[in-house]
Amino acid sequence: MMALTTDQLNDLRADLGDSGSPPAFSDIELQRLFARTGENYDATVVLAIDQLLMNASKLNDYTAGQTSEKRSQVFAQLTEVRKVWASRVETARNKPQVRITRFREEPPVAREKPSE
């Protein structure tokens, strides 16, 4: 099992927008997500978004007088971002793959030499 490098962890955090202090995911959690997806980077992002979606589903809208917060937008926006990343995973999964099963030496074709 390959562990994510520091650069890959930073890239993963950037792709998730996980720039808060403290971050939403620890390094160990990101490593675990990467292992759960069979070391598939794009699928790791989708799984992390799924976890963020579960937390966002707990948020509710708030209104008090002239002040209002629409926290349900977090869920809606994460859902849209997930669609983009999930389509990347699906596209990669459906790519035709070529597998060379064996090499066989072919003798050269005998051709007549052109006359001058």
Side-chain angles (χ1 to χ4, degrees), residues 50-111:
D50 285 344
Q51 290 186 358
L52 292 172
L53 272 168
M54 291 307 292
N55 286 324
S57 69
K58 300 173 192 173
L59 301 176
N60 56 0
D61 293 346
Y62 171 80
T63 303
Q66 299 290 329
T67 305
S68 67
E69 290 181 3
K70 302 214 182 266
R71 294 180 178 177
S72 61
Q73 290 177 340
V74 173
F75 185 84
Q77 291 167 344
L78 280 172
T79 301
E80 291 302 313
V81 170
R82 188 193 185 285
K83 288 178 188 175
V84 171
W85 279 95
S87 70
R88 287 185 186 184
V89 172
E90 193 62 31
T91 300
R93 186 176 296 144
N94 292 332
K95 277 187 182 175
Q97 297 185 4
V98 177
R99 187 167 118 188
I100 298 173
T101 56
R102 65 180 172 153
F103 288 103
R104 187 174 72 191
E105 188 174 323
E106 294 283 331
V109 178
R111 295 188 179 159

Side-chain angles (χ1 to χ4, degrees), residues 10 16 29 35:
N10 291 334
L16 290 169
E29 290 171 322

